[in-house]
Structure formats: structure tokens, C-alpha cells
Amino acid sequence: FKFIIPYTAAATTTGSRWGVTASSGLATNLSMISEYSLTTTTTTRNANVQAFDSPAGCNATSASTLNNVCIMEGYFKPTANCTLTARFASEVSGSAITAKAGAIVYYQKTN
């Protein structure tokens, strides 16, 4: 799977975290990378993420208020039929991170 998600931040001092979850069952062999805006020239990169709703912590900033992007890609083997969903959270309570229209997901079902 691969998610490409544009997003906005209420302020550049508002960070975020990005992960995935599934509607039912467990993921075996989940391994993914998430990468998202930190500053105008750097990103936060979480490699070898192996659990739903991870990472647990947010980064501290966003590159801009209007032009941020998150990319998450990896693979997993579900234990039951499920819907894989991208999830995110704001670092600051009451300061929004908003996923925008135009997000895209690619996936390939394998045996």
C-alpha cells in the first residue's frame, strides 16, 4: 500500500503523527514507513513501523500551514477481511491538522 495525503496545519508550530489501522483482525508482518513535513527542508521519517496506530508520539512542527504532505507505504497480511485506513493526530489539542481532498492510495492484493 501507499498513501499520499496532502494536509494543512492550523500553525507551523503544530506537529502531527501519521499511521494506519484496520477495521478488524490483526496485522501480521506489518512493516511500513511514514514520512511527513517537519520544516521547509526536513521531514519526520518513521521506518520499520510494525504496529497499528504507530508512532505514538507527534513531531513538533509542520513545514507550512497550507502545503504539507504525508507519504506512508508498506505491506501487511491481515488476519481477517478488513479496511485499511490512514490515521493522523495533531500534536496540540485544539490546533487542527486537516487531511485535504486529493489524497490518493495505491494498493496491491497479493496471495
Side-chain angles (χ1 to χ4, degrees):
F1 63 90
K2 182 175 186 175
F3 290 93
I4 302 171
I5 305 169
Y7 68 96
T8 60
T12 58
T13 55
T14 300
S16 61
R17 66 183 174 113
W18 295 81
V20 297
T21 194
S23 59
S24 65
L26 303 170
T28 59
N29 301 320
L30 171 65
S31 186
M32 69 169 235
I33 297 166
S34 63
E35 189 166 2
Y36 40 96
S37 301
L38 180 62
T39 70
T40 57
T41 58
T42 62
T43 59
T44 295
R45 183 173 191 269
N46 301 294
N48 203 30
V49 175
Q50 296 186 353
F52 288 144
D53 293 321
S54 291
C58 294
N59 64 7
T61 60
S62 293
S64 74
T65 56
L66 298 175
N67 192 25
N68 300 291
V69 68
C70 171
I71 299 173
M72 295 183 289
E73 58 187 327
Y75 68 91
F76 78 107
K77 181 178 179 181
T79 60
N81 288 338
C82 67
T83 300
L84 184 69
T85 306
R87 291 178 53 126
F88 61 96
S90 173
E91 172 224 8
V92 179
S93 178
S95 188
I97 296 293
T98 305
K100 302 305 285 184
I104 192 165
V105 62
Y106 301 96
Y107 72 94
Q108 180 175 351
K109 184 177 177 180
T110 59
N111 292 336

